[in-house]
Amino acid sequence: MTKKQVYNFAPGPAMLPRPVMKKAQEEFLDWNGTGMSVMEVSHRSKEFIALAQESEADLREILGIPANYKVLFLQGGASSQFAMVPMNLLQGGKSADYIVTGSWSSKAYKEAQRHGKVRVAATSKEQNYMTIPDRGAWQLDKDAAYVYICSNETIGGVEFQEVPDVGPAPLVADLTSHALSRPVDVSKFGLIIAGSQKNIGPAGLAIVIIRDDLIGKESERLPSLLDYAHMVANESMSNTPPTFSWYIAALVFKWIKAEGGLKVMEQRAIQRSGKLYAAIDASGFYKNPVDKPYRSRMNVPFTLPDEKLDAKFLSEAKAAGLEALKGHRSVGGMRASIYNAMPMEGVDALIDFMRDFEKRHG
Ligand SMILES: *Cc1c(COP(=O)(O)O)cnc(C)c1O
């Protein structure tokens, strides 16, 4: 029985590449000739250790991660990193600078307040988080332990298009919802956070890329599982890692390599988002409120002229196979999340549906 084509616009957990899901299905009961499912195999088996090592090598290749950076595959999602970052990097007396550009950087800032001295060095709160404050207006502390940004605000749909120069302090960035959607110069960061369930794999994993010199600052007082130095020393296997999520992430890395890498992912993201924003801007019915230079290629929020149409839009979209378009409860309206796995046909189907809906209700 074939089900009708569904395009899933969920912000996360989100759509994964078809070929990855097919491969996982094919080897679900017999992984790698073991006669067992990967989720039944010890994380300390030679097969799983080989997977872990190969996945790291693939990620290093895809992102061009320099040798002086370590890669961790951790549990607790991206949000645990909101605490782990200050717990590990914020040392006595020093404070950290936060650039608050939306919900996720706000959450990170609030969590960091529990663990040390932090300041807001710039915020777009007064602009309703619809832009990113000009770099020239950031009030950075030259002695800051680090400067924190969320480089793609998943809820507001606001994306840094360049890595900001923050001077000598290490730049810590939450790349969760646009990781692997474009090439990035890892050497410009001190630490990168990427939760898995947006653009990397299933939920359950957070990838952390950390520069050598930032490891082991505060080790004595930390719970070992929350200590980067401990997790580095144990190659992310101090305890049982989320093996199935890791396995799918490893398949996603292979898929990205086979498709041609991050340049190709970026071209596709530009095409998908460009087409959708153009359709929104041309309509006079739908609106995206984000300052154009900072519009996200991954998360495209939009509103209808009357909130009363929202429920109808969503139910008709669902009937047309367009899933999970409801905007975040904090902002309302709609949001189309169009990560690496979203084919152009999905965006075309959404635009066709939007035009048809506008015709009937505009
Ligand atoms: C989803 C998301 C998070 C939170 O991820 P969890 O894995 O649920 O903790 C953090 N930051 C960004 C930018 C996100 O999109």
Side-chain angles (χ1 to χ4, degrees):
M1 197 175 71
T2 48
K3 260 202 97 193
K4 69 168 182 193
Q5 175 70 56
V6 164
Y7 295 110
N8 175 9
F9 293 91
M15 192 169 179
L16 288 166
R18 259 296 125 133
V20 166
M21 301 304 264
K22 288 254 187 234
K23 169 107 172 121
Q25 184 182 41
E26 271 162 32
E27 55 189 28
F28 191 69
L29 295 176
D30 180 7
W31 174 62
N32 221 355
T34 57
M36 297 174 275
S37 170
V38 65
M39 70 175 87
E40 300 169 315
V41 168
S42 167
H43 58 297
R44 309 220 184 264
S45 65
K46 74 174 187 328
E47 289 87 357
F48 195 83
I49 296 212
L51 177 148
Q53 287 169 348
E54 204 171 317
S55 68
E56 179 179 332
D58 285 339
L59 183 65
R60 284 183 174 277
E61 185 185 328
I62 293 168
L63 271 171
I65 302 174
N68 62 325
Y69 287 74
K70 295 285 190 282
V71 178
L72 294 170
F73 293 80
L74 303 178
Q75 306 195 48
S79 302
S80 290
Q81 298 307 314
F82 298 170
M84 272 180 81
V85 164
M87 286 168 101
N88 281 268
L89 304 188
L90 204 46
Q91 304 139 73
K94 284 214 170 189
S95 80
D97 282 345
Y98 279 69
I99 311 303
V100 179
T101 52
S103 303
W104 288 114
S105 48
S106 294
K107 281 199 175 159
Y109 171 69
K110 278 194 200 106
E111 181 66 27
Q113 283 179 310
R114 300 161 54 98
H115 304 285
K117 261 205 310 207
V118 287
R119 20 187 319 272
V120 176
T123 177
S124 52
K125 187 161 192 237
E126 294 204 343
Q127 291 78 40
N128 234 342
Y129 297 130
M130 290 303 144
T131 188
I132 290 170
D134 284 339
R135 172 64 190 84
W138 297 9
Q139 315 251 308
L140 296 178
D141 165 7
K142 64 177 177 11
D143 296 321
Y146 59 88
V147 179
Y148 184 102
I149 62 170
C150 172
S151 51
N152 185 63
E153 288 282 2
T154 323
I155 292 171
V158 176
E159 181 173 12
F160 280 76
Q161 302 300 339
E162 278 165 34
V163 181
D165 179 359
V166 296
L171 178 62
V172 174
D174 177 0
L175 265 67
T176 296
S177 51
H178 71 163
L180 308 185
S181 72
R182 58 197 296 159
V184 290
D185 181 351
V186 174
S187 74
K188 290 186 171 161
F189 299 87
L191 187 149
I192 288 173
I193 300 163
S196 59
Q197 74 275 21
K198 312 288 163 72
N199 208 18
I200 293 177
L205 198 62
I207 292 172
V208 170
I209 303 170
I210 180 169
R211 206 174 62 208
D212 275 349
D213 61 291
L214 298 175
I215 299 167
K217 299 278 191 195
E218 283 285 275
S219 294
E220 302 89 58
R221 64 178 177 83
L222 291 182
S224 48
L225 293 183
L226 304 183
D227 174 7
Y228 293 130
H230 177 83
M231 295 311 276
V232 165
N234 289 277
E235 298 179 328
S236 306
M237 293 210 203
S238 173
N239 67 332
T240 316
T243 51
F244 191 74
S245 297
W246 196 333
Y247 155 77
I248 297 281
L251 292 181
V252 169
F253 301 157
K254 293 271 183 231
W255 174 77
I256 290 174
K257 275 174 63 172
E259 293 295 299
L262 296 189
K263 284 234 168 72
V264 171
M265 295 298 129
E266 178 176 46
Q267 281 161 9
R268 291 181 190 167
I270 290 171
Q271 281 168 3
R272 281 190 306 262
S273 60
K275 211 166 174 182
L276 183 51
Y277 284 119
I280 290 168
D281 291 342
S283 77
F285 183 82
Y286 304 103
K287 280 200 170 48
N288 168 278
V290 177
D291 199 9
K292 281 190 181 150
Y294 304 111
R295 282 174 161 184
S296 170
R297 295 173 184 167
M298 298 281 106
N299 310 97
V300 181
F302 60 92
T303 53
L304 277 54
D306 184 349
E307 263 176 43
K308 289 196 203 87
L309 287 171
D310 286 2
K312 198 172 179 62
F313 182 94
L314 287 166
S315 68
E316 288 187 15
K318 190 176 171 68
L322 307 168
E323 286 283 346
L325 285 160
K326 194 171 169 42
H328 191 269
R329 60 188 183 278
S330 64
V331 294
M334 306 300 148
R335 172 177 42 167
S337 293
I338 45 177
Y339 300 115
N340 286 349
M342 176 61 67
M344 198 62 191
E345 296 82 57
V347 172
D348 288 337
L350 172 61
I351 292 172
D352 287 347
F353 170 78
M354 287 168 70
R355 290 205 174 118
D356 179 59
F357 189 88
E358 177 179 355
K359 253 188 229 135
R360 289 180 287 111
H361 300 281

